Structure formats: C-alpha cells, structure tokens
Amino acid sequence: MEKNIITVTGGTGYIASWIVKYLLEKGHEVRITVRSKSDVAKYQHLLDIERDTTGKLLIYEADLLKDGSFDEAVNGADYVMHTASPFFLDDKGDTKKKLVDPAVKGTENLLNSVNKASSVKRVILTSSIAAIFGDNRDLADNNAKAIDESMWNTTASLTHNAYSYSKTEAEKKAWEVSEKQNRWDLVTINPGFVLGPSLTKRVDSTSINSLLRILRGDLKAGSPDLEFLYSDVRDIANAHILAAFTKIAKGRYIISNESGNLLKVAKYIEEEYPGKYRVPKGVVPKFIICLLAPTIGFTRKFVRNNVGFPLKGDNRKSINELNMCYKSLKETVLDHVKQIESDNLI
Ligand code: NAP
C-alpha cells in the first residue's frame, strides 16, 4: 500500500487517537497537531503505539484561533483530517467563545492552510449528526423515518444545543471554503454519540465521562427516555481512513449503526455484570424530567423537544460507498466497560 503523509488535528483526542493508531499501523507518516507540545502526557500513548508500528509520528503545535497556525503541519501532507473541536454539551455561559469560535474559525483557519499547501488532495472533516438534525422531534416534524445526509440542523443556536450549532456552522464553513476551489475535495464524517474503548486513561472526553457516569450510578433512579444514535470509536476511525482512501467517497457520511435510549446501554452492562453497577433500570416520566430539568443540566425546551421522540439514522451511504462494516452496540459498550475496568477508572 502506498505510504502517505496525513495530518490529524487534535491528535490527543479520543477519536483522533484511534485514527492515528490505525494510520501508524498501516505505515503512514502521521503529523498530529496538539495545543501544547510540552504537554507530552496527552500524546505519550501515541509515541508508545508508534514504536510498535512501521509508521512515523510527528508532533506539531497549532492553535485553532491563530491564523497560519496549521501551515507547517499541513504543508506537504497528502490528506488532512480535522478532528480538533471543543466537545461539551453545555448551553451556559459564552457559548460563542467556548464552542462556536474554535469550531468555525478553527475550521476556516485550517482550510486556509490547506489552500496554501499544493500537496493536499482531500480533507476529512469530523463533523457530527448534530450538524444534520437539531432536536429528536425534528424527525417527526419533517415526516421523516430516519435522518440522512441530505438534512441540515436548522434549530440549534447559541442558546439551544450550542454544541450542535458549533458543528453545524463549522461544517457549513468547510463546504463554503471547499466549493471556492477545485484542487482538494472535502468529505465529512458525521458520527452519532461515540462510545467504545479509549486508548488513554483520560476521562475529560465527553463520551468517556458519560459512560463512567452511568457506571457510577448517576442515573440509578432512572434515565430519561432520550434516544441517541450510537457509534463505535473504532468504526469512526475506520470511516475517516476509508473516506480518505476510497476514490469515490464524496459528500457527507452518517456513521452510526444503532439507536436507542440509555436503558439499552444499561441492559447490556447489567446482563454482563449482574448487580455490579448501579445502572438505570427504568425510565423517569417526561413530566418529572421537565420539572427537574434546570437542576440536572437540561433546559425545559430541550426536554420538551427531545425526550420521548424516537431517533433513527440511515447509514446506507456509508455501507454502499465506503464499504463500512459496523460493530454492534453491545460489543462497543462491553469493550468500553472492559477498558474502564482494566485502566482502573472506576
Ligand atoms: P475529545 O477527546 O474531547 O477531543 C477533542 C480534541 O480537540 C482534543 O484533541 C482537544 O485537545 C481538541 N480541542 C478541543 N478544544 C480545542 C481548542 N479550543 N483548541 C484546540 N484544540 C481543541 O473529543 P472527541 O470525542 O475525540 O471528538 C473529536 C471530534 O469528533 C470533535 O470534532 C467532535 O465534535 C467530534 N464528534 C465527537 C462525537 C463523540 O460522541 N465523541 C460525536 C460526533 C462528533 P486537548 O486534548 O488539548 O483537549
């Protein structure tokens, strides 16, 4: 297989770590960007992985908000994968500064560097299904059976689902910049809620923290009937690589295989580890969630528009064009719990 130079932004992250691992195992030269090169603890696991592979890892410092910051890491690269973006679900405070600016300006900034680098053939943007729909009720409101790649989130804002807004605006910006030129093409990966084993012991990543909270009993009194589309972190990493190296890859790809509420996740854990974790066993009625909303980190508008609405995703484009093979949610969850246990995170 041809060896390439691939730049991965946000190389320290949960998803990016798996992308970098797979690329190194295939023998590529991987350039990661990190916020601070001196914070070696955040990427030591990748240096360790590199030692056992034929690939080569290079570390660059880059800041999403600093013009020209990505020039060096991108110059000479064949492919660029842009994963760096703040990921936390919080509508409080200055969401423009915390979420939207780093996502949107960061994307524009990176693509300006790509425009300067004649070597780059394709950019893979880690977007999200959050750029495809806003609230779970959007499906019913649009008489749709499942979300697909033709849809856009039209309901998120700085004060309602601000993270989703940051992903929507960032992806729109990427298409806008890409359409002004014809040297490189853009492919987006739109994951659902990502779970699965982490390559590090970090627990500040929203995905990792969410499963830990379920295991620690934060929802022992019951969980809201809130449905998610789930993705396996290893499937998401594979999808980035398939999107880069599959010639016909084009446009957006929903990468998710199963949906359901958190009771589905809890059931897999309870069946495998009976009585060991205080996972939720039932659903809390919507009116109670609505009453409690402000005290449990939700707005009432979020509860009204999301709790109790089924969610489905159409992943056929990923299967037909990228040849995606998916892991089951059960395997994803149980592998994640195994990693949490073996790393003594609980
Ligand atoms: P993560 O572990 O929190 O990784 C995020 C990465 O972005 C880290 O490398 C982080 O750097 C970097 N980053 C965050 N804010 C930054 C800022 N202001 N300036 C520079 N770098 C910044 O999250 P993840 O789950 O791997 O997410 C990676 C990408 O996937 C994001 O674009 C996210 O929106 C997208 N995504 C995630 C999910 C999911 O469920 N996990 C679902 C859909 C889409 P540090 O290591 O220095 O913090």
Side-chain angles (χ1 to χ4, degrees):
M1 191 187 169
E2 195 192 339
K3 306 292 178 212
N4 286 284
I5 300 176
I6 299 142
T7 301
V8 181
T9 70
T12 52
Y14 170 54
I15 293 174
S17 292
W18 278 101
I19 298 176
V20 172
K21 174 180 159 65
Y22 288 159
L23 289 172
L24 288 172
E25 285 173 351
K26 288 182 194 327
H28 296 292
E29 176 178 317
V30 186
R31 302 170 172 187
I32 60 166
T33 70
V34 298
R35 293 198 229 199
S36 164
K37 238 177 135 167
S38 62
D39 198 351
V40 183
K42 278 192 178 176
Y43 57 86
Q44 182 60 49
H45 62 291
L46 298 176
L47 296 171
D48 296 340
I49 289 169
E50 183 205 18
R51 269 200 301 276
D52 297 329
T53 69
T54 53
K56 188 171 164 196
L57 181 68
L58 299 164
I59 321 292
Y60 292 76
E61 212 167 69
D63 181 334
L64 286 170
L65 296 174
K66 200 164 140 205
D67 287 348
S69 198
F70 291 95
D71 284 0
E72 202 190 339
V74 164
N75 185 29
D78 301 297
Y79 298 94
V80 174
M81 300 186 180
H82 183 40
T83 82
S85 205
F87 175 36
F88 51 87
L89 307 170
D90 182 2
D91 284 353
K92 289 192 231 68
D94 190 346
T95 53
K96 181 173 183 302
K97 192 167 170 207
K98 288 191 300 188
L99 282 162
V100 181
D101 284 351
V104 180
K105 290 186 183 160
T107 298
E108 186 172 24
N109 200 9
L110 171 79
L111 295 179
N112 285 341
S113 299
V114 168
N115 274 336
K116 290 184 225 163
S118 59
S119 55
V120 178
K121 299 180 222 172
R122 185 173 281 178
V123 175
I124 318 300
L125 173 76
T126 318
S127 185
S128 171
I129 55 161
I132 290 181
F133 77 101
D135 292 304
N136 287 15
R137 68 171 293 163
D138 291 0
L139 255 192
D141 288 351
N142 292 306
N143 288 322
K145 287 203 175 69
I147 62 156
D148 66 40
E149 288 89 352
S150 68
M151 299 173 180
W152 279 93
N153 183 341
T154 56
T155 55
S157 68
L158 284 175
T159 52
H160 179 64
N161 294 334
Y163 166 72
S164 301
Y165 185 62
S166 77
K167 296 305 285 181
T168 308
E169 294 305 300
E171 195 192 317
K172 280 189 190 158
K173 177 57 73 183
W175 287 114
E176 183 191 313
V177 177
S178 138
E179 278 154 16
K180 285 189 184 141
Q181 56 77 53
N182 53 20
R183 181 174 51 75
W184 49 271
D185 55 9
L186 175 70
V187 179
T188 72
I189 296 300
N190 298 66
F193 184 42
V194 183
L195 294 172
S198 171
L199 291 170
T200 74
K201 293 187 181 185
R202 271 179 81 171
V203 293
D204 57 343
S205 192
T206 297
S207 286
I208 297 162
N209 191 260
S210 303
L211 193 66
L212 271 174
R213 288 183 57 196
I214 295 175
L215 293 173
R216 286 184 180 141
D218 284 15
L219 296 175
K220 65 177 187 298
S223 96
D225 182 16
L226 180 58
E227 296 218 350
F228 296 90
L229 285 176
Y230 297 98
S231 310
D232 184 289
V233 67
R234 298 156 293 186
D235 287 347
I236 297 301
N238 267 326
H240 280 75
I241 295 168
L242 289 169
F245 296 115
T246 306
K247 271 217 162 69
I248 60 155
K250 195 175 167 57
R252 315 168 88 192
Y253 290 96
I254 291 174
I255 307 292
S256 170
N257 201 32
E258 284 183 54
S259 59
N261 63 22
L262 290 176
L263 284 185
K264 189 169 174 181
V265 171
K267 194 165 149 268
Y268 293 138
I269 299 169
E270 184 58 24
E271 277 167 6
E272 186 73 11
Y273 304 95
K276 186 167 182 184
Y277 295 107
R278 290 171 302 159
V279 295
K281 304 259 168 48
V283 155
V284 179
K286 185 167 179 175
F287 79 92
I288 296 185
I289 300 283
C290 211
L291 274 176
L292 294 176
T295 61
I296 53 174
F298 293 130
T299 63
R300 294 211 164 95
K301 180 176 175 185
F302 178 85
V303 174
R304 270 198 308 274
N305 291 348
N306 289 280
V307 173
F309 292 96
L311 189 59
K312 290 268 175 289
D314 182 345
N315 64 8
R316 283 175 299 177
K317 185 168 182 267
S318 73
I319 294 169
N320 295 340
E321 296 178 12
L322 297 182
N323 246 331
M324 268 302 292
C325 292
Y326 285 97
K327 292 187 191 303
S328 70
L329 177 61
K330 182 174 179 180
E331 184 181 353
T332 304
V333 171
L334 295 185
D335 284 355
H336 198 162
V337 177
K338 230 181 266 169
Q339 174 258 321
I340 285 173
E341 289 195 339
S342 66
D343 281 341
N344 292 318
L345 299 179
I346 191 150

Short mmCIF file of all heavy atoms in Angstrom, two decimals, residues 111 115 152 171-186 188 250-252:
data_model
loop_
_atom_site.label_atom_id
_atom_site.label_comp_id
_atom_site.label_asym_id
_atom_site.label_seq_id
_atom_site.Cartn_x
_atom_site.Cartn_y
_atom_site.Cartn_z
N LEU A 111 -8.46 25.30 6.86
CA LEU A 111 -8.66 25.20 5.41
C LEU A 111 -7.88 26.28 4.66
O LEU A 111 -7.47 26.08 3.51
CB LEU A 111 -10.16 25.22 5.06
CG LEU A 111 -10.92 24.00 5.61
CD1 LEU A 111 -12.39 24.07 5.26
CD2 LEU A 111 -10.32 22.68 5.09
N ASN A 115 -5.41 25.45 1.65
CA ASN A 115 -5.38 26.18 0.37
C ASN A 115 -3.96 26.57 -0.04
O ASN A 115 -3.66 26.70 -1.22
CB ASN A 115 -6.27 27.42 0.45
CG ASN A 115 -7.72 27.08 0.12
OD1 ASN A 115 -7.99 26.10 -0.57
ND2 ASN A 115 -8.65 27.90 0.61
N TRP A 152 -30.08 19.15 7.21
CA TRP A 152 -29.24 20.06 8.00
C TRP A 152 -29.97 20.46 9.28
O TRP A 152 -31.21 20.54 9.29
CB TRP A 152 -28.92 21.33 7.19
CG TRP A 152 -27.79 21.11 6.23
CD1 TRP A 152 -27.91 20.73 4.92
CD2 TRP A 152 -26.39 21.20 6.50
NE1 TRP A 152 -26.66 20.59 4.35
CE2 TRP A 152 -25.71 20.88 5.30
CE3 TRP A 152 -25.63 21.53 7.62
CZ2 TRP A 152 -24.32 20.88 5.19
CZ3 TRP A 152 -24.25 21.52 7.54
CH2 TRP A 152 -23.61 21.20 6.33
N GLU A 171 -19.30 22.87 9.83
CA GLU A 171 -19.41 22.08 8.60
C GLU A 171 -19.82 22.96 7.42
O GLU A 171 -19.29 22.84 6.31
CB GLU A 171 -20.37 20.89 8.77
CG GLU A 171 -20.16 19.89 7.62
CD GLU A 171 -21.21 18.81 7.47
OE1 GLU A 171 -21.64 18.23 8.48
OE2 GLU A 171 -21.58 18.55 6.30
N LYS A 172 -20.74 23.89 7.67
CA LYS A 172 -21.16 24.80 6.59
C LYS A 172 -19.96 25.60 6.09
O LYS A 172 -19.77 25.81 4.89
CB LYS A 172 -22.24 25.77 7.10
CG LYS A 172 -23.61 25.17 7.14
CD LYS A 172 -24.59 26.30 7.46
CE LYS A 172 -25.97 25.78 7.76
NZ LYS A 172 -26.75 26.74 8.55
N LYS A 173 -19.16 26.07 7.04
CA LYS A 173 -17.96 26.85 6.68
C LYS A 173 -17.02 26.00 5.81
O LYS A 173 -16.48 26.46 4.80
CB LYS A 173 -17.25 27.34 7.95
CG LYS A 173 -15.97 28.08 7.76
CD LYS A 173 -16.09 29.31 6.88
CE LYS A 173 -16.79 30.47 7.56
NZ LYS A 173 -16.95 31.64 6.66
N ALA A 174 -16.87 24.74 6.19
CA ALA A 174 -15.97 23.86 5.43
C ALA A 174 -16.46 23.70 3.99
O ALA A 174 -15.68 23.79 3.03
CB ALA A 174 -15.87 22.50 6.12
N TRP A 175 -17.78 23.48 3.81
CA TRP A 175 -18.31 23.34 2.44
C TRP A 175 -18.14 24.64 1.66
O TRP A 175 -17.80 24.64 0.47
CB TRP A 175 -19.78 22.89 2.46
CG TRP A 175 -19.91 21.45 2.86
CD1 TRP A 175 -20.48 20.95 3.99
CD2 TRP A 175 -19.40 20.31 2.13
NE1 TRP A 175 -20.38 19.58 4.02
CE2 TRP A 175 -19.72 19.16 2.89
CE3 TRP A 175 -18.72 20.14 0.93
CZ2 TRP A 175 -19.38 17.86 2.48
CZ3 TRP A 175 -18.38 18.86 0.52
CH2 TRP A 175 -18.71 17.75 1.29
N GLU A 176 -18.33 25.76 2.36
CA GLU A 176 -18.20 27.08 1.69
C GLU A 176 -16.78 27.27 1.17
O GLU A 176 -16.58 27.64 0.01
CB GLU A 176 -18.56 28.15 2.73
CG GLU A 176 -18.56 29.57 2.24
CD GLU A 176 -18.65 30.53 3.44
OE1 GLU A 176 -19.50 30.33 4.34
OE2 GLU A 176 -17.82 31.47 3.49
N VAL A 177 -15.79 26.97 2.02
CA VAL A 177 -14.38 27.15 1.59
C VAL A 177 -14.04 26.15 0.48
O VAL A 177 -13.41 26.49 -0.52
CB VAL A 177 -13.41 27.00 2.79
CG1 VAL A 177 -11.96 27.13 2.34
CG2 VAL A 177 -13.72 28.01 3.89
N SER A 178 -14.48 24.92 0.66
CA SER A 178 -14.14 23.87 -0.31
C SER A 178 -14.73 24.19 -1.69
O SER A 178 -14.09 23.94 -2.73
CB SER A 178 -14.63 22.54 0.24
OG SER A 178 -15.22 21.76 -0.74
N GLU A 179 -15.94 24.73 -1.71
CA GLU A 179 -16.59 24.99 -3.01
C GLU A 179 -15.95 26.14 -3.78
O GLU A 179 -16.21 26.32 -4.97
CB GLU A 179 -18.09 25.24 -2.79
CG GLU A 179 -18.84 23.91 -2.67
CD GLU A 179 -20.13 23.99 -1.86
OE1 GLU A 179 -20.62 25.10 -1.64
OE2 GLU A 179 -20.62 22.91 -1.44
N LYS A 180 -15.08 26.90 -3.14
CA LYS A 180 -14.42 28.02 -3.84
C LYS A 180 -13.18 27.57 -4.61
O LYS A 180 -12.45 28.40 -5.16
CB LYS A 180 -14.03 29.10 -2.83
CG LYS A 180 -15.23 29.90 -2.35
CD LYS A 180 -14.78 31.08 -1.53
CE LYS A 180 -16.00 31.82 -0.97
NZ LYS A 180 -15.78 32.29 0.39
N GLN A 181 -12.85 26.28 -4.55
CA GLN A 181 -11.64 25.81 -5.24
C GLN A 181 -11.91 24.41 -5.79
O GLN A 181 -12.93 23.81 -5.49
CB GLN A 181 -10.42 25.85 -4.29
CG GLN A 181 -10.61 25.07 -3.02
CD GLN A 181 -10.46 23.58 -3.19
OE1 GLN A 181 -9.46 23.13 -3.73
NE2 GLN A 181 -11.44 22.79 -2.75
N ASN A 182 -11.00 23.88 -6.61
CA ASN A 182 -11.23 22.51 -7.10
C ASN A 182 -9.97 21.63 -7.04
O ASN A 182 -9.86 20.65 -7.74
CB ASN A 182 -11.83 22.51 -8.51
CG ASN A 182 -10.99 23.34 -9.45
OD1 ASN A 182 -9.82 23.59 -9.17
ND2 ASN A 182 -11.58 23.78 -10.56
N ARG A 183 -9.00 22.02 -6.20
CA ARG A 183 -7.78 21.21 -6.09
C ARG A 183 -7.96 20.06 -5.09
O ARG A 183 -7.51 18.95 -5.32
CB ARG A 183 -6.59 22.09 -5.69
CG ARG A 183 -5.29 21.31 -5.59
CD ARG A 183 -4.09 22.20 -5.33
NE ARG A 183 -4.26 23.09 -4.20
CZ ARG A 183 -4.21 22.73 -2.93
NH1 ARG A 183 -4.03 21.48 -2.60
NH2 ARG A 183 -4.35 23.63 -1.97
N TRP A 184 -8.58 20.32 -3.96
CA TRP A 184 -8.81 19.27 -2.97
C TRP A 184 -10.31 19.10 -2.78
O TRP A 184 -11.09 20.01 -3.04
CB TRP A 184 -8.14 19.62 -1.63
CG TRP A 184 -8.43 20.99 -1.10
CD1 TRP A 184 -7.73 22.14 -1.36
CD2 TRP A 184 -9.51 21.38 -0.23
NE1 TRP A 184 -8.29 23.21 -0.71
CE2 TRP A 184 -9.39 22.78 0.00
CE3 TRP A 184 -10.55 20.71 0.39
CZ2 TRP A 184 -10.28 23.50 0.81
CZ3 TRP A 184 -11.44 21.42 1.20
CH2 TRP A 184 -11.29 22.80 1.41
N ASP A 185 -10.69 17.90 -2.37
CA ASP A 185 -12.12 17.74 -2.08
C ASP A 185 -12.34 17.49 -0.59
O ASP A 185 -11.43 17.15 0.16
CB ASP A 185 -12.80 16.70 -2.98
CG ASP A 185 -12.13 15.34 -2.94
OD1 ASP A 185 -11.26 15.16 -2.09
OD2 ASP A 185 -12.51 14.47 -3.74
N LEU A 186 -13.57 17.71 -0.20
CA LEU A 186 -13.96 17.61 1.21
C LEU A 186 -14.90 16.43 1.39
O LEU A 186 -15.83 16.24 0.59
CB LEU A 186 -14.68 18.90 1.62
CG LEU A 186 -15.26 18.93 3.04
CD1 LEU A 186 -14.15 18.98 4.09
CD2 LEU A 186 -16.18 20.15 3.22
N THR A 188 -17.07 14.65 4.71
CA THR A 188 -17.31 14.77 6.14
C THR A 188 -17.79 13.44 6.72
O THR A 188 -18.52 12.69 6.08
CB THR A 188 -18.37 15.86 6.49
OG1 THR A 188 -19.66 15.43 6.09
CG2 THR A 188 -18.04 17.18 5.81
N LYS A 250 -17.51 10.77 -1.36
CA LYS A 250 -17.97 12.11 -1.74
C LYS A 250 -19.03 12.58 -0.75
O LYS A 250 -19.91 11.81 -0.35
CB LYS A 250 -18.60 12.01 -3.13
CG LYS A 250 -18.82 13.33 -3.85
CD LYS A 250 -19.34 13.03 -5.27
CE LYS A 250 -19.88 14.24 -5.98
NZ LYS A 250 -19.00 15.36 -6.11
N GLY A 251 -18.94 13.81 -0.34
CA GLY A 251 -20.01 14.39 0.49
C GLY A 251 -19.94 13.99 1.95
O GLY A 251 -18.88 13.85 2.53
N ARG A 252 -21.13 13.80 2.52
CA ARG A 252 -21.25 13.54 3.96
C ARG A 252 -21.56 12.07 4.20
O ARG A 252 -22.21 11.43 3.39
CB ARG A 252 -22.41 14.36 4.54
CG ARG A 252 -22.44 15.78 4.08
CD ARG A 252 -23.76 16.44 4.44
NE ARG A 252 -23.75 17.04 5.75
CZ ARG A 252 -24.84 17.47 6.40
NH1 ARG A 252 -26.03 17.31 5.87
NH2 ARG A 252 -24.74 18.03 7.59
#
